[in-house]
Amino acid sequence: KNDSTFRTRFAGFAIIPDPTFGSPNALAYFNLADNENTHVTFYYRAIRAGLPVNLATVFDFRTFANANLIRRDPSGSEYDNVIDNGIANDEKIYLQTSPGSFASLKIPGLATLSNRVIHRAQLVVEKVPSAGEGLFPPPEILFLDAIDSANNRFLTIPNDFSYDLQQQFYNIAEVGGIFHNNSYNFNISRYVQGIVTRKEKSYTLRLYAPYKTNSSQLFSGGVLTPFLPSELTGLKVNTPIAKGRVVVAGGAYPVVSQRLRLRIIYSKI
C-alpha cells in the first residue's frame, strides 16, 4: 500500500550462520557497496497498456540502515580460564580483535626511575604458539593507549602519539604495533622520557586490537583534543571487523627471553 506501512510489517533481512552445518570456525563478510552482486530483486507482473508485463526491481542495501552483530562466546575455551582469574601477572595474554579482549599492562619501577637520556624505549610483545592459529591469523595491528582511571577515560600515549583530526589517521610506522617477525613493537621513548625527567604520570597501559579506537590525545596543560575521537566516530585500526586473534607472552611466561617487556636504551646524566 505504501512504504511506511510496509516498514511496520517488514523490518528487513538478517543473515546468520547455521552452527549445525559444517565447521563453525569461519567468518563471512559481505560487500554491501557492491550493488551489482549484493541486492534484493523483486520479480512481479504488472499491467502496461492493458497487457501483462513481467518486471523486476532491484534494491541495494547501501542507502538503508544496516548493522553487524558479532557475539563472542569464550565458554570452554582456553581463554575462558584466564578471564578475571585473579592472577596479576599472567603467563599468556589472549587478544581478539573488536569486539574482543584487552590486557592491562603495568610497568613496575618506571615511575621511580632516575633521570637519564632515553634514546629508545621499546615495548616488545611476542606472539607464542596457540591452538587454532592456523585458522585464525594474528591481527595486523595492536594498539596501545593509557588508562586514565582518575578521569574515567583512555588517552593516547602521552608525547608519543599524535593524529590528524582532518585526515583521521595516525603514523603507525612511528608509533609501532605492526605484526612483524612474530612480534609487535611499540616506540614509547618520549613517554618514558617525560616520566623520568619531568616526573609525568606513569599510566597503566591498555593493549588491544580494536577495529576503531576512541582514545583521546592529551596536550600539555591537560587539554584534550579539540574534538574527541568518539565524536569523529573513532580512528580505524584493524579492518575488517573481528578479523584476527593472537596469544602473546605475558610477564610470567616460562621462556624468560620471550616475556612481555620494556627495553630501554639510555645514557646516564
Side-chain angles (χ1 to χ4, degrees):
K1 186 177 181 180
N2 55 61
D3 287 347
S4 58
T5 302
F6 179 73
R7 284 194 292 269
T8 64
R9 301 292 184 179
F10 181 72
F13 293 99
I15 301 176
I16 59 175
D18 181 357
T20 65
F21 181 79
S23 172
N25 293 323
L27 288 172
Y29 296 90
F30 305 91
N31 185 3
L32 298 185
D34 182 11
N35 59 346
E36 291 187 5
N37 296 300
T38 305
H39 55 254
V40 58
T41 304
F42 288 90
Y43 299 93
Y44 57 97
R45 175 169 290 190
I47 302 299
R48 294 289 186 269
L51 298 174
V53 179
N54 294 325
L55 300 172
T57 300
V58 177
F59 296 89
D60 63 55
F61 297 97
R62 291 184 300 167
T63 55
F64 299 94
N66 57 79
N68 270 330
L69 174 60
I70 302 172
R71 182 183 293 114
R72 297 194 186 273
D73 182 8
S75 301
S77 68
E78 187 178 2
Y79 171 53
D80 190 28
N81 298 325
V82 301
I83 300 176
D84 297 326
N85 59 8
I87 299 176
N89 195 15
D90 285 301
E91 290 186 6
K92 298 179 181 179
I93 296 173
Y94 296 77
L95 298 173
Q96 292 177 312
T97 51
S98 303
S101 57
F102 71 93
S104 298
L105 310 182
K106 295 183 179 181
I107 306 174
L110 184 58
T112 57
L113 195 65
S114 62
N115 190 22
R116 60 196 68 194
V117 177
I118 305 298
H119 301 294
R120 184 80 171 183
Q122 187 176 57
L123 185 71
V124 182
V125 184
E126 293 198 29
K127 174 187 171 298
V128 296
S130 61
E133 64 180 9
L135 291 173
F136 302 105
E140 295 179 2
I141 301 171
L142 292 186
F143 194 79
L144 187 71
D145 55 20
I147 303 174
D148 185 7
S149 54
N151 296 291
N152 194 29
R153 64 191 180 188
F154 296 100
L155 301 174
T156 57
I157 302 299
N159 305 319
D160 269 309
F161 178 101
S162 62
Y163 61 82
D164 190 308
L165 286 172
Q166 301 299 322
Q167 299 297 324
Q168 286 293 283
F169 74 94
Y170 67 97
N171 189 341
I172 185 65
E174 181 178 344
V175 176
I178 301 174
F179 185 68
H180 181 66
N181 287 340
N182 227 36
S183 67
Y184 301 87
N185 297 316
F186 297 89
N187 179 12
I188 56 173
S189 304
R190 295 182 182 90
Y191 169 67
V192 173
Q193 188 72 74
I195 294 172
V196 301
T197 301
R198 298 183 294 274
K199 302 305 176 183
E200 295 176 350
K201 183 177 178 60
S202 176
Y203 291 96
T204 297
L205 305 180
R206 179 176 63 161
L207 180 68
Y208 61 125
Y211 171 65
K212 289 183 177 181
T213 178
N214 289 321
S215 50
S216 303
Q217 184 177 339
L218 187 65
F219 291 96
S220 60
V223 180
L224 288 175
T225 50
F227 301 98
L228 297 179
S230 57
E231 297 177 5
L232 301 171
T233 70
L235 299 176
K236 190 174 291 186
V237 180
N238 284 292
T239 58
I241 192 170
K243 178 187 176 183
R245 38 76 87 203
V246 68
V247 180
V248 300
Y253 192 66
V255 182
V256 177
S257 61
Q258 289 185 275
R259 287 178 179 175
L260 185 66
R261 60 198 181 275
L262 178 63
R263 179 173 178 263
I264 302 178
I265 301 173
Y266 67 93
S267 292
K268 293 182 178 180
I269 296 179

